[in-house]
Amino acid sequence: MTDPTDFTALTDDQWAQRLTPTEFRVLRRAGTEAPFTGEYTDTTTNGVYRCRACDAELFRSDAKFESHCGWPSFFTPLAGERIIERRDTSAGMARTEVLCANCHSHLGHVFTGEGYDTPTDLRYCINSISLTLAPAE
């Protein structure tokens, strides 16, 4: 029997039971939600953004910034070991995909060199549907 805390061992059928069809398409099939439609695109609430699939802490609200790209943007993850970055050559371009290190679900992509006035030269462009927000108390 699969250990329910080992998210990397879940089958597609198990993920499909845990997630809505749209969540499954984005998180498990590396889909993308439409720009300017996600619930966290313009959110300014203080708190911690977690992986919607496994609840792992990924980003803090103080690293979120307005990039006007249509998706929530962060200049750094909570900690480097919380995410996996891997080369993505789908859609006819070379990008860096961002995955949750705990469950290997697709979160979005990271871009560099765009000139945003942030402490890093990075923009973690993350699908809202890949996240949940735990507001600060």
Side-chain angles (χ1 to χ4, degrees), residues 7 17 19-20 23 27 30 38 40 45 54 68 87 91 112 119 133 136:
F7 293 100
Q17 291 173 13
L19 303 169
T20 68
E23 291 168 347
L27 288 157
Y40 301 124
T45 303
C54 73
H68 306 285
R87 184 172 168 78
T112 186
L133 174 59

Side-chain angles (χ1 to χ4, degrees), residues 33 35-43 64 66 70-73 128:
E33 67 189 350
F36 302 103
T37 62
E39 71 178 299
Y40 301 124
T41 302
D42 298 318
T43 300
K64 188 174 187 281
E66 184 54 60
W71 294 274
S73 297
S128 284

Side-chain angles (χ1 to χ4, degrees), residues 5-134:
T5 60
D6 183 4
F7 293 100
T8 61
L10 294 178
T11 66
D12 282 347
D13 287 341
Q14 289 169 313
W15 278 117
Q17 291 173 13
R18 295 174 71 94
L19 303 169
T20 68
T22 304
E23 291 168 347
F24 183 83
R25 181 182 62 78
V26 173
L27 288 157
R28 304 308 302 171
R29 293 290 179 253
T32 301
E33 67 189 350
F36 302 103
T37 62
E39 71 178 299
Y40 301 124
T41 302
D42 298 318
T43 300
T44 58
T45 303
N46 289 328
V48 175
Y49 289 87
R50 298 172 173 269
C51 177
R52 187 176 299 261
C54 73
D55 206 36
E57 293 184 351
L58 300 171
F59 299 94
R60 292 202 185 278
S61 59
D62 59 5
K64 188 174 187 281
F65 70 99
E66 184 54 60
S67 66
H68 306 285
C69 72
W71 294 274
S73 297
F74 303 87
F75 58 80
T76 188
L78 186 71
E81 72 272 3
R82 302 291 175 106
I83 61 164
I84 296 169
E85 295 180 11
R86 73 176 177 197
R87 184 172 168 78
D88 174 10
T89 57
S90 66
M93 63 184 96
R95 304 178 290 180
T96 303
E97 181 182 16
V98 179
L99 303 138
C100 173
N102 192 52
C103 69
H104 299 183
S105 288
H106 173 78
L107 303 172
H109 291 86
V110 61
F111 302 95
T112 186
E114 296 178 317
Y116 289 103
D117 185 22
T118 60
T120 67
D121 195 25
L122 302 171
R123 176 174 59 95
Y124 287 85
C125 182
I126 307 298
N127 292 288
S128 284
I129 202 163
S130 297
L131 303 171
T132 59
L133 174 59

